[in-house]
Amino acid sequence: MNTSIIKQYVAAAALLLTVILTNSCSKNNVPEPDADKMGQFSIEFDNIVGEETLGFEPRSYTNAKGEKFRIKQLQYFISNIKLYKNDGSSYTVPQEESYFLVNASDRTTRFTRVQAPEGDYSKVQFVLGIDSLRSTMPVEKRTGVLSFNPESGHAGGGMYWGWNSGYIFLKLEGYCDLISDNQQGDPTGNKQFKYHIGGFGGYNAPTLNNIKTITVDLKSAGIAQVRAGMRSNAHLFVDIMKIFNGPNAFSIVAHPNVMFSEYSVNIANNFPAMFSHDHTENFVKSEDEL
């Protein structure tokens, strides 16, 4: 084969490679954001226990104190979602659209779906709990997951203290066979533990304040690129083991029943350690594609 023909083949191959690379890049090219347009954004709260996906009893886990336990139920409120860009600017989701109840027994509740202006967001912030403003509003203004009956409690699953006039921010209940039959909190003898953590600071006088603002950096595992017509989903792991093994590690046997008490502050201080960013999926159309 002569030199001219070889050069023609090389030129043709180079041209073909250029076309392939150009097309490949164009498919992955993200359109520039338009701040005047809104896109869908969601946070996915994926509950785990240590290195395992959360499973209810009879599945058992062991905390740092060597105590085996089983989980019966887990629920928590997420509210006041806020998104940040690299330049420090932020978007606060309107409060009326920013209250969610995650129920671990119902996987459809794991997404908090909101609208946000188009943009590239590198940090997300939210509250675990219900803020004091909403907690003190008239009952008729607390709708959706916040609706409740003051006499019978929260209609969505017992997440309101009728006797204490306040929301339970996080409810975790289960069993630990090491709990003695005569310990406070389980008069039934079923060796149950109950953690009902709440407290927004009080109506007219200062009380416990267990509202926790959680900030999660998205940069290392993928920022949220919100665009109109599609959806960006930030997938977070929520490690329930951190409730026991967080900065204020504690024994289930020593504290089997914690509700509206001073010790609840220690448990609430473990909440921020529960959340970590796994990855972000951009331009997702529906939950079926996650």
Side-chain angles (χ1 to χ4, degrees):
M1 186 178 293
N2 62 42
T3 304
S4 62
I5 294 177
I6 292 175
K7 289 182 178 179
Q8 290 177 18
Y9 274 118
V10 171
L15 179 61
L16 178 62
L17 179 61
T18 300
V19 171
I20 292 173
L21 291 175
T22 301
N23 288 339
S24 175
C25 291
S26 64
K27 289 180 182 178
N28 296 323
N29 193 32
V30 179
E32 287 297 316
D34 183 343
D36 293 328
K37 296 181 179 180
M38 302 291 284
Q40 297 180 35
F41 172 73
S42 62
I43 308 173
E44 180 179 358
F45 294 89
D46 192 356
N47 299 302
I48 62 174
V49 185
E51 299 298 322
E52 305 177 48
T53 299
L54 182 146
F56 293 104
E57 58 151 349
R59 190 168 182 177
S60 67
Y61 305 94
T62 304
N63 65 15
K65 301 293 184 181
E67 300 166 326
K68 288 189 175 182
F69 64 93
R70 307 182 303 281
I71 295 173
K72 182 174 71 172
Q73 71 160 303
L74 168 70
Q75 298 184 79
Y76 50 90
F77 280 110
I78 297 296
S79 65
N80 293 272
I81 296 172
K82 193 172 185 178
L83 299 171
Y84 289 86
K85 297 179 182 178
N86 271 333
D87 61 7
S89 61
S90 63
Y91 173 72
T92 301
V93 177
Q95 268 207 334
E96 295 294 337
E97 305 166 13
S98 198
Y99 292 93
F100 303 89
L101 177 61
V102 179
N103 185 340
S105 64
D106 181 359
R107 284 185 59 78
T108 64
T109 66
R110 73 187 189 277
F111 294 101
T112 59
R113 305 178 188 86
V114 299
Q115 294 283 322
E118 285 195 351
D120 297 336
Y121 298 98
S122 57
K123 186 168 63 176
V124 63
Q125 188 178 86
F126 52 86
V127 167
L128 196 163
I130 304 299
D131 55 277
S132 58
L133 177 63
R134 190 64 50 165
S135 293
T136 55
M137 281 186 174
V139 173
E140 61 271 15
K141 292 190 176 182
R142 292 184 252 172
T143 59
V145 298
L146 298 182
S147 61
F148 69 97
N149 184 323
E151 295 181 358
S152 61
H154 186 262
M159 295 294 284
Y160 189 86
W161 285 308
W163 57 269
N164 191 43
S165 298
Y167 291 97
I168 300 170
F169 301 161
L170 180 143
K171 175 185 284 189
L172 174 65
E173 296 184 1
Y175 304 94
C176 177
D177 292 338
L178 297 174
I179 298 173
S180 63
D181 293 343
N182 61 356
Q183 277 187 288
Q184 179 185 7
D186 186 20
T188 66
N190 290 329
K191 302 181 184 300
Q192 298 182 75
F193 61 79
K194 295 182 179 181
Y195 304 113
H196 298 182
I197 310 300
F200 61 87
Y203 282 89
N204 301 315
T207 62
L208 298 175
N209 188 342
N210 285 324
I211 297 171
K212 295 299 172 186
T213 299
I214 314 294
T215 303
V216 179
D217 195 314
L218 305 179
K219 290 192 289 292
S220 62
I223 64 173
Q225 297 174 305
V226 178
R227 300 293 185 273
M230 303 298 286
R231 184 165 64 84
S232 179
N233 178 67
H235 184 177
L236 306 187
F237 281 138
V238 186
D239 187 357
I240 307 309
M241 189 68 82
K242 296 294 186 182
I243 294 178
F244 304 108
N245 299 351
N248 296 309
F250 68 95
S251 162
I252 297 174
V253 172
H255 302 280
N257 184 38
V258 180
M259 296 192 185
F260 200 75
S261 67
E262 287 296 332
Y263 199 81
S264 69
V265 175
N266 296 324
I267 297 178
N269 285 336
N270 287 339
F271 291 167
M274 295 164 55
F275 299 88
S276 61
H277 181 217
D278 180 57
H279 67 281
T280 299
E281 292 150 316
N282 292 303
F283 309 123
V284 178
K285 292 183 179 179
S286 67
E287 279 72 37
D288 294 336
E289 296 179 52
L290 294 176

